[in-house]
Amino acid sequence: MEAGNISAIATAYQIATLTYPSFEVIELLKPLPFERVLELLLIMRQSPRPVKSPLNFLRRAIQENWSAETMPEKVNRHIEYVEENFYLKKGYTIDQAREIVQARKRGG
């Protein structure tokens, strides 16, 4: 990615959060299309509660494919962990297990 795009991501992040992004946040957002970065920052900005860990919030938003229309919902992480372990024991990879759990949560 070009330095200009990194600068654009950093500027957009600063506008959304009034803080400078960490190296990890930049690395997370760098491979994404700029429009998706803006959408993720909008989701973070619209969060009804303060975001304590922007990196984890953005990671989860990317992983679960959040959009501005689908706001994050409260989840029981313990149940998700148990379900993921169930699929891991059946021979799925961690990414496959997470995808199955997410699909089941979405009703698919």
Side-chain angles (χ1 to χ4, degrees), residues 36 40 43 56-67:
R36 180 67 176 143
L40 291 169
I43 293 166
N56 290 336
F57 183 93
L58 292 170
R59 223 183 252 141
R60 185 170 166 216
I62 292 167
Q63 183 182 47
E64 297 179 9
N65 202 25
W66 292 349
S67 70

Side-chain angles (χ1 to χ4, degrees), residues 30-100:
K30 196 165 56 167
L32 301 175
F34 190 66
E35 292 79 20
R36 180 67 176 143
V37 170
L38 292 175
E39 183 180 34
L40 291 169
L41 294 174
L42 175 63
I43 293 166
M44 191 164 69
R45 182 79 182 149
Q46 289 177 337
S47 175
R49 289 184 299 216
V51 176
K52 294 179 183 175
S53 175
L55 179 62
N56 290 336
F57 183 93
L58 292 170
R59 223 183 252 141
R60 185 170 166 216
I62 292 167
Q63 183 182 47
E64 297 179 9
N65 202 25
W66 292 349
S67 70
E69 292 79 37
T70 60
M71 288 304 290
E73 29 181 87
K74 193 168 184 126
V75 236
N76 186 330
R77 289 284 176 211
H78 177 71
I79 291 174
E80 277 191 1
Y81 177 73
V82 169
E83 289 176 356
E84 285 174 11
N85 279 332
F86 172 78
Y87 290 108
L88 286 173
K89 289 178 183 174
K90 290 203 170 242
Y92 291 95
T93 66
I94 185 68
D95 290 332
Q96 290 170 329
R98 283 186 182 142
E99 183 56 39
I100 292 169

Side-chain angles (χ1 to χ4, degrees), residues 1-21:
M1 174 171 276
E2 302 169 3
N5 287 343
I6 293 172
S7 174
I9 289 171
T11 301
Y13 185 93
Q14 285 178 298
I15 290 169
T17 66
L18 302 178
T19 61
Y20 195 80

